[in-house]
Structures are given as structure tokens and as C-alpha cells.
Amino acid sequence: KAISLESMDYPLLGELFYLANKHYLDTLKDSIVQEVSARKLVSGQVLEVAKVAEEYAHLEKFANALFQICSSFVKDNLEATLEMCNNEEVGEENSMTLHRLLARASRVKPRQSRPEREVAVECFAPYGGHRWVDIGKERADAVQYARALRLPYHLLSFLRMKGHSTRSMSCTDKNTMVFVVMKGEIKVILPTTQFSAKRGDSFYVLPKTYYNLINDKARDAELSIIQSQYDGPLSAIPTVHPAPIVDS
């Protein structure tokens, strides 16, 4: 069943964005930001939304979208903003939130409108500029992930695994994942088969399929990943669960 973002309040959108960020669901994150950015606030919502933005400040993209619509209200509705200031007691929580919002609104530049068909994409990502994130569950920096390039419905990223480490069982959800081994050797665990892939080898995993990657060698391994999002109904694709791991 499709998710209706329009019916969700701001705290619920924040929780959903948190989960999307945790599981690298970039398309869902973008959809949430677009939904928030398209909303128009009324006077009674501004403080509530500003508080949600502060609560989720660690999710920068989501928080900035909230602050943007709050700042737009402040700049476009001076009289209502002054009335809010007048109604709040100095030093109280709402007053402090409002003060911080006014300070932020003074620094926000108006958003530049773009033609509807224009899509801004990155076309170059130097390897040395990647931001590596720990995603392993065994030990720190054993398994790291970095996003390189993102364009509509596609994502290029990298995965590096230290010797004797495991990616942990994952599901592709609505994505087809194409892997190329750039360095080392890994064991690939799929529901119906398992095999070893060495430098230069490639393989793919279909949507709604569980898989695991294991580096049982002493040498580090690194893979590039091309992620393509399936655009049909997921109900038409059966979920493929993992098979037991067989020691070789």
C-alpha cells in the first residue's frame, strides 16, 4: 500500500525521515522533504513546526526544510509574527523557540524558483571526498558505506569491508543492486545460491531479496554498488528470504 505523506503530521514525518535515513532510502527522504517544502503554515502551526525542526536538528535535510517554511511564514506574515511575540511570555520555552526562529529567518535567503522540468544532479564525485559511514554490527569501521553520485532513480555508492567482517543480512526492498568487486574477495550469500566474487567480478541482487556479504579473508575488500529503483508495484514481486549459510 502506498504511503500518503500528505496526511502525516510533522512529528510523524520526522520519525519516517529518521527511518529512511537509517536504511538509506534516499528517494523516500527526498519525497518527505518535497512534501514539507510544499506546505504552507498558518499562525498556529509555526511554533509547533519550529520545535519539531529543533528536535530533529541532527537530520539536517529534514530540519532545514521545516525551518525554511517557518522562516517563509515569518517573512511573509509580519503582523501575525508580531502577534505571536506579543502573546508569549519572555523567557518561557515558546518565547525562546520563537526568538531562535526569528534569528534564523533573518539569515535565510529566499528560495530561487526553478523550472519544473529542471533536475539538478551531481556529475562528479572525487573518491577522496567520500564520507564513510560505519554500518557494521561487529566492530567499529569493519564495514563502511559511502554514497558517491545520485541521480533520478539511481545511486552509485561504495562499500568497504575489513578482513574477517560481515555486512549483515539486508533486504534490497524496491531496489536492484549491481555490485562490482574492486578489491579483495568476498562471499555472496543469496536465497538460492552462494559464491565467491574476486576483484573484477560483478553480480546483481533483485528487488525484495535478502542477501549477505562476508569477507572471510584477512585482506580488505571494496565494492562499488549501482542501485536502481524499481518503479512498479512491489506486491507483484515476492519477497525472497535468505537460505541457511553453508560453510565451504
Side-chain angles (χ1 to χ4, degrees), residues 45-55 67 70-71 74 81 84-85 88-105:
Q45 296 177 308
V46 176
L47 278 173
E48 173 203 349
V49 175
K51 288 179 181 179
V52 174
E54 291 183 341
E55 180 181 354
F67 281 129
C70 288
S71 299
V74 167
T81 301
M84 282 193 294
C85 294
E88 300 299 335
E89 292 291 333
V90 176
E92 296 294 330
E93 180 183 355
N94 284 350
S95 176
M96 298 297 290
T97 300
L98 188 56
H99 177 80
R100 289 190 294 268
L101 175 60
L102 292 173
R104 177 178 287 270

Side-chain angles (χ1 to χ4, degrees), residues 130-156:
H130 294 335
R131 297 177 59 186
W132 294 94
V133 179
D134 291 335
I135 61 172
K137 297 181 180 179
E138 298 173 336
R139 63 185 191 273
D141 78 3
V143 182
Q144 294 185 315
Y145 172 89
R147 191 177 74 179
L149 293 173
R150 181 166 62 88
L151 57 159
Y153 303 104
H154 293 82
L155 175 69
L156 172 65

Side-chain angles (χ1 to χ4, degrees), residues 28-228:
L28 178 55
K29 288 164 56 179
D30 290 342
S31 296
I32 294 171
V33 169
Q34 290 173 10
E35 168 61 27
V36 169
S37 300
R39 294 187 178 186
K40 299 294 184 183
L41 298 181
V42 297
S43 181
Q45 296 177 308
V46 176
L47 278 173
E48 173 203 349
V49 175
K51 288 179 181 179
V52 174
E54 291 183 341
E55 180 181 354
Y56 287 94
H58 58 291
L59 300 174
E60 186 175 354
K61 198 171 182 180
F62 176 69
N64 284 344
L66 294 176
F67 281 129
Q68 179 69 58
I69 60 174
C70 288
S71 299
S72 295
F73 177 89
V74 167
K75 290 192 169 186
D76 296 340
N77 299 273
L78 179 59
E79 189 172 328
T81 301
L82 292 175
E83 184 177 349
M84 282 193 294
C85 294
N86 184 59
N87 291 337
E88 300 299 335
E89 292 291 333
V90 176
E92 296 294 330
E93 180 183 355
N94 284 350
S95 176
M96 298 297 290
T97 300
L98 188 56
H99 177 80
R100 289 190 294 268
L101 175 60
L102 292 173
R104 177 178 287 270
S106 68
R107 301 191 299 269
V108 172
K109 295 180 180 180
R111 288 177 292 182
Q112 299 296 322
S113 59
R114 292 181 176 177
E116 291 185 0
R117 293 184 181 181
E118 180 182 344
V119 178
V121 297
E122 303 162 332
C123 63
F124 175 71
Y127 185 84
H130 294 335
R131 297 177 59 186
W132 294 94
V133 179
D134 291 335
I135 61 172
K137 297 181 180 179
E138 298 173 336
R139 63 185 191 273
D141 78 3
V143 182
Q144 294 185 315
Y145 172 89
R147 191 177 74 179
L149 293 173
R150 181 166 62 88
L151 57 159
Y153 303 104
H154 293 82
L155 175 69
L156 172 65
S157 54
F158 294 93
L159 182 73
R160 60 189 185 191
M161 304 174 63
K162 289 199 170 181
H164 305 294
S165 64
T166 301
R167 164 69 177 86
S168 77
M169 192 65 67
S170 304
C171 184
T172 54
D173 192 37
K174 62 195 304 185
N175 304 298
T176 295
M177 315 282 285
V178 180
F179 298 82
V180 179
V181 181
M182 302 170 60
K183 182 173 72 173
E185 179 179 351
I186 62 163
K187 180 185 289 184
V188 182
I189 310 296
L190 297 176
T192 57
T193 187
Q194 56 183 274
F195 52 86
S196 292
K198 301 179 181 179
R199 178 181 177 183
D201 293 343
S202 56
F203 59 94
Y204 66 85
V205 185
L206 293 173
K208 294 186 72 175
T209 301
Y210 282 87
Y211 71 97
N212 198 358
L213 305 175
I214 301 173
N215 182 4
D216 54 11
K217 307 295 183 182
R219 183 185 177 190
D220 293 357
E222 185 166 332
L223 303 91
S224 69
I225 309 168
I226 299 176
Q227 179 176 316
S228 178

